[in-house]
Amino acid sequence: MRHSSKFEQLDLLPYAGKWLVISFLVACLAGSASAVFLHALNWATATREAHRALIWLLPVAGFVVGWCYLRMGRPVEAGNNLIIDEIHDPKKTIPLRMVPLVFGGTVISHLFGASVGREGTAVQMGGALADQLTRMLRLRPEDRRIMLMAGIAAGFSSVFGTPLAGAIFGLEVLAIGRMRYDALFPCFVAAIAADQIGLLWGVEHTHYVVTQVVPVGLASMLGVVVAGILFGVIGMVFANSAHALGAFMKRHVPYAPLRPFLGGLVVAVAVWALGADRYIGLGIPTIVEAFQHPLSSWDFLGKLAFTVTSLGTGFKGGEVTPLFYIGATFGNALAPLLHLPYSMLAGLGFVAVFAGAANTPIATIVMAIELFGPSIAPFAAVACIAAYLFSGHTGIYHAQRVGHAKHRMLPEGLRISELAAYRKTLGKQAVVPAEK
């Protein structure tokens, strides 16, 4: 085998230089887009809170967003799943129209009171903007995969202010149980730079404070294992419910813009009838409260129901911040039952429910350390891994592949959305006619 030079390190210099420049370009695009987006979300949230009657326009807003996607957004309607599919099986450049469509759709959703997040929008903008560079730079399909992963990492990092977790998320989210190490350098450079660029644009991230972490011991670890299992089950319930409602609406409401109209009507009436303003939008004030004092034990169910209704009927945004809310409030409710501090369980729920729903345990462990400090690391590791295992082979991203099954044999490369059909096929094969 021939080598271009005697020293492998010299061969790596052009590679490192190439991806240093490209990753920084991706970071500039994704970090700037996320900054503008976060400022727009702050405006939308403040405007909605100042004018509560805007909730009654949510059905109309949903119809408008649904109509825009029907007319102009069919090629990008799959959102995050489209980006994941393009990384696994590159076909064509992601249309740039994804950026204004998901940006506008998410801001409108928040302005009028849908219960959606923001990660999906940032990831989609980061991936779509990064993909425009592949055509300009005439990159190979393999390099395009890495570019898209860097875009995901940059978008996630800049919207949450967690650069290390963002980089690992871009590597881990593609397949259950497997990461791609060839994209390590680009993802970390893009994530760290995008976070800094967002800060230069004046982005301010919320600080969550875990005030008490108990010593590591048998009783505390057993309590965290129990909590982690329950966090995983909640993540699974969230993912399955959102997918089931989405499929139900597509079967029974053929006209796409009518789905968010109906969902918006349900949300608006529920907010008015129940006084449930705390369950719409991002819900960050409630998340902060979960770290400070006991909350209502049903808050996590309220947020779960409102978010599933919003996302399942077609509103745009993301799942992650609602999952943070559900996890933090569920952890808050579990704390007295498990005899653990409220802030500690809120912090573990914050990351572990997301770990189970997204199948990204390593990214969420690192996120816990970035957000809450190193003292929570052993507990975060146990909670996130338990949640990952007990959420099963499901998740919020249908395009995720099975890289390495969690605990039972499954074919590698299957999409999560294909697992149900695969299991049905196995069930039919297992039925053997009785002998006469």
Side-chain angles (χ1 to χ4, degrees), residues 12-23 139-140 143 185:
L12 287 172
L13 286 176
Y15 170 87
K18 164 188 167 182
W19 281 112
L20 189 64
V21 173
I22 293 176
S23 300
L139 297 179
R140 299 172 301 149
D143 287 342
F185 184 69

Side-chain angles (χ1 to χ4, degrees), residues 140-164:
R140 299 172 301 149
E142 192 57 34
D143 287 342
R144 179 173 177 245
R145 290 189 177 98
I146 296 175
M147 177 83 84
L148 287 171
M149 294 167 71
I152 291 174
F156 190 97
S157 164
S158 55
V159 83
F160 292 124
T162 52
L164 301 184

Side-chain angles (χ1 to χ4, degrees), residues 130-333:
D131 208 20
Q132 308 311 307
L133 294 175
T134 63
R135 184 165 48 188
M136 295 170 56
L137 300 176
R138 298 180 181 178
L139 297 179
R140 299 172 301 149
E142 192 57 34
D143 287 342
R144 179 173 177 245
R145 290 189 177 98
I146 296 175
M147 177 83 84
L148 287 171
M149 294 167 71
I152 291 174
F156 190 97
S157 164
S158 55
V159 83
F160 292 124
T162 52
L164 301 184
I168 297 173
F169 179 82
L171 298 164
E172 191 178 21
V173 73
L174 305 177
I176 294 175
R178 182 165 295 171
M179 292 203 306
R180 291 190 47 162
Y181 281 72
D182 57 339
L184 271 173
F185 184 69
C187 281
F188 272 90
V189 171
I192 293 168
D195 176 53
Q196 293 299 309
I197 288 165
L199 295 176
L200 289 175
W201 280 103
V203 170
E204 295 181 358
H205 299 290
T206 305
H207 295 283
Y208 305 100
V209 181
V210 174
T211 57
Q212 183 183 1
V213 177
V214 299
V216 175
L218 179 61
S220 59
M221 274 298 180
L222 286 177
V224 170
V225 169
V226 172
I229 292 170
L230 295 174
F231 291 146
V233 172
I234 289 295
M236 177 189 69
V237 169
F238 176 90
N240 288 344
S241 299
H243 293 319
L245 180 58
F248 176 86
M249 294 298 292
K250 288 178 181 178
R251 284 196 307 270
H252 296 282
V253 185
Y255 188 54
L258 193 57
R259 297 170 202 153
F261 176 87
L262 295 174
L265 187 62
V266 170
V267 170
V269 170
V271 168
W272 171 77
L274 303 174
D277 297 77
R278 66 191 288 110
Y279 302 135
I280 60 176
L282 291 174
I284 288 177
T286 305
I287 300 176
V288 173
E289 283 185 60
F291 287 81
Q292 298 171 344
H293 56 78
L295 299 178
S296 299
S297 58
W298 57 82
D299 274 341
F300 76 96
L301 287 174
K303 187 62 173 178
L304 190 152
F306 274 80
T307 306
V308 166
T309 302
S310 298
L311 293 174
T313 56
F315 282 95
K316 302 303 174 183
E319 302 90 347
V320 176
T321 304
L323 286 168
F324 291 163
Y325 183 121
I326 293 166
T329 52
F330 186 45
N332 183 283

